[in-house]
Amino acid sequence: MKRTLAISTILLAGPLLAEDTRQLDAHEHGVGELNIAIDGTTLAMELHAPGADIVGFEYKAKSEEDRKAIDSGVATLARPLELFVFPAAAECNVTQASAALESEDDHHDHDHGHDHEHHDEHAEHEEHAEETTHSEFHAEYNLNCSDPSAISEITFAYFEAFPNARELEIQIASASGAQSFEVTREQPTLDLRGMF
Amino acid sequence: MLLGESGSGKSTLLSLICGTILANTGTVSVAGTDLATLPGGARDRFRAECVGMIFQQFNLLTFGTVVDNILLPLRFAPERRKRVSDPTIKAAALCKALGLSEDLIRAKAANLSVGQQQRVAVARALIGRPPIVVADEPTSSLDATSQTAFLDLLFDQVQSHGTTLLMVSHDPRLAERFDRVIRMEDIAMTERQAC
Amino acid sequence: MLILRLAIASLFARALTVGMTTLAIALSVALFLGVEKIRTGAKASFADTISGTDLIVGARSGSVQLLLYSVFRIGNATNNVTWESYQDIAARPDVEWIVPISLGDSHRQFRVMGTSVAFFDHYKYRQGRDLAVAEGAIMSDLFDAVIGADVAKTLNYSINDPIIVAHGIASFKEHDDQPFRISGILEKTGTPVDRTVIVSMEAIEAIHVDWQGGGRIPGQSTPVEQIRQMDLTPKAVTAALVGVESPLQTFSLQRAINNYPEEPLLAVLPGVALQELWAIVGVAETALLAVSGMVVVTALIGMMATMFSALNERRREMAIFRAMGARPNMILSMLVLEAALTATFGALLGLSLLYLGLVIAQPIIDSAYGLWLPIEFPSTRELAVFLGVVVAGAIVSLVPALRAYRLSLADGMLPKT
């Protein structure tokens, strides 16, 4: 019985994870995602980063030390201008910043309006979530930049702050359309000349 | 003058003098310089500076103009180049002195007759007044009448430029025109005796 | 200077063989740059096809697939989006505008697209240019059709001509009972719109009144007048183009659509989907580029072979240089210089061939593939290719040049010919 349950969990977890994949793209350790949208002088950013990247683990905090690490990670994430360095000429200020740790299960409930049937599957999934849990840090920022056209590049001090992060997949949406980029630890700058 | 039958080693001797080949034994001394003591590049430079060369035939770069051919050695011999104030004018003067018409100077070398080519070769050997002019059977490709006329011009110019002429030939009739005549057999004899 | 002049003169003296070599290099360079040109032209053309649309929404599939069938009319949708879901999305406050697209019918070799009049307001191409009507007007009646420039040109259609819309692509079962009329012809855009017949969403419904499951319901033929009275609200759309109120909402709207609980939907950012497409096409692109690169290498090896075979005839020439006091090094550099010159001539000729070819082929490629290749000053990339060919030519020539070096050392003034 236990075995069939395990199999059915895997089968059920498959589509669930796949659904998530679309939203978060693959949860791959070392690879975070950053969406940047710009409208006029307002810049909105949302960051999704695997727990492994930010604090080095993804299980539920077990010790005081773990909790401290998470708090410090969240605190660091709440200071976007220290992670994403904009050219001084753009004069960017943070108008709003929030960061939080969300376990995978949390945002299922949160983001999906699953019907009842779905919830049942979900509950089963949760039973086994302990071993396979993934946690993600989410952060959202709003910036105000007096001169967005001066944003010729963004330097990612993010990789210095979080030694486990390897890569950020970036999507930028502006009035001129959307584009995707990749920034890596080895090449921690994003060239945006002519973008805004 | 160096007199000898074909295959007697005249051309090899010229190559030794010009420093394009080195002697296995003995020394080759040209204008007081022991060629064996010079490194390869310096021997090439020495040849450019001190030796004006006239071959039996096919002297010229056929795709170049007459003046290009005459000026070519100056490109490798800065000292010779210094002795000529205006190379193009000097080249024209040499051509004139050698009985080549003025407008020929811009012609392609390929369009010249053999006799004209040999005279251009003389001009090229003499420009910048090198101490030695080496001529390897320069008349063998010419007919008898042209030979005499060519030699007259050659001697005139060599004399007026104050240059030593070392000519190689198999024709003993030419010997009377030279100050010194050495026969290849004699050299070969000496060599054999030495062995 | 003298040496350069002599090198050029020497090349001209061997005009035939050098000419052949130059031509081979020229053709290879033209091919290489041509491939490059088509590659970048195709990219630019694709990128120019859609602008101003923030999201493309369709049934859940792959983002590249959705982009291809909705915008480029390549391939088909596996599923449609229900009209209810479409209405739900349209009603969201962060949606500024939404345009439905319904595909699946065709007219001769051209696709028929059902859409709303808003399509003409919101579909933009080539950095925000609007569609313009060259003749007539956009559809105002149920049976009006607006056709792209290529459709009009190929089928020789003019305003008010009747047009028959077939169900299914490449199907012979034509909806011959619905008399459509051409109300407008669009100006050429260089996008798939040129090859599209545009009708209203209601018209698509009207076509299918008497049809079920791909076949005509036997004995049924609803008169046109009766169709006009019917409720022609669409049941489904193939895809929808969406504009957001503010770019700031792009990602949240995308997420909301992707997590839409009632129906599996997919929203993609057109620019990002295009980049994904490039990543896929990149492999073929690289292969094509590699092949044409090999052609350049072949031409250069041809030059090397020609130089080798000419060495024997040129021993006399080298002997003269040696007698004049030229070092063997000079012989070597002269041959390399010659090769570099040949490669330069070749590359220059190749570049001219490319431009000549472009001038001739530009309109042909445009009408056949809808691909507009711009004629402009060589890009830095093309100049880099140019320089690369010259340098590669010089490097390749080192092999025969080194042999010439050794020959001239051995020969001195006395070539053994």
Side-chain angles (χ1 to χ4, degrees), chain C residues 364-411:
Chain C
I364 302 168
I365 292 178
D366 182 36
S367 66
Y369 305 105
L371 190 62
W372 183 253
L373 301 174
I375 299 177
E376 53 201 8
F377 192 78
S379 65
T380 44
R381 209 184 144 93
E382 286 167 326
L383 292 177
V385 169
F386 184 95
L387 210 69
V389 169
V390 174
V391 171
I395 290 171
V396 157
S397 74
L398 273 175
V399 185
L402 279 169
R403 175 150 170 77
Y405 175 95
R406 261 180 263 117
L407 273 178
S408 70
L409 251 189
D411 283 357

Side-chain angles (χ1 to χ4, degrees), chain A residues 19 22-23 35-39 42-44 46 48 111-114 140 142 171-181, chain C residues 51-54 60-61 245-252 254-255 258-259 261-262 265-267 269-273 275-276:
Chain A
E19 227 167 278
R22 193 152 302 101
Q23 184 195 159
N35 289 338
I36 304 174
I38 185 162
D39 186 16
T42 311
L43 205 93
E46 27 177 75
H48 302 271
D111 281 332
H112 298 253
H114 289 301
E140 287 185 18
N142 279 326
Q171 295 191 108
I172 298 182
S174 68
S176 60
Q179 260 183 292
S180 62
F181 302 90
Chain C
S51 92
T53 296
D54 295 308
R60 191 162 292 172
S61 56
E245 284 286 344
S246 155
L248 300 180
Q249 292 153 335
T250 310
F251 295 111
S252 58
Q254 182 187 23
R255 191 158 41 242
N258 283 341
N259 293 328
E262 277 76 28
L265 298 178
L266 174 66
L269 304 164
V272 173
Q275 280 173 297
E276 269 178 54

Side-chain angles (χ1 to χ4, degrees), chain C residues 294-354:
Chain C
M294 286 311 290
V295 177
V296 176
V297 171
T298 311
L300 290 176
I301 290 175
M303 175 176 78
M304 185 168 89
T306 318
M307 286 178 76
F308 260 120
S309 65
L311 277 189
N312 252 336
E313 306 157 24
R314 299 182 65 188
R315 282 167 97 163
R316 182 76 230 167
E317 179 189 329
M318 290 185 260
I320 294 169
F321 274 107
R322 288 285 283 142
M324 296 301 111
R327 296 185 191 189
N329 273 342
M330 208 230 71
I331 307 281
L332 181 130
S333 33
M334 209 174 60
L335 287 186
V336 173
L337 175 71
E338 269 184 34
L341 281 174
T342 310
T344 309
F345 288 150
L348 272 178
L349 185 65
L351 213 56
S352 339
L353 280 178
L354 173 73

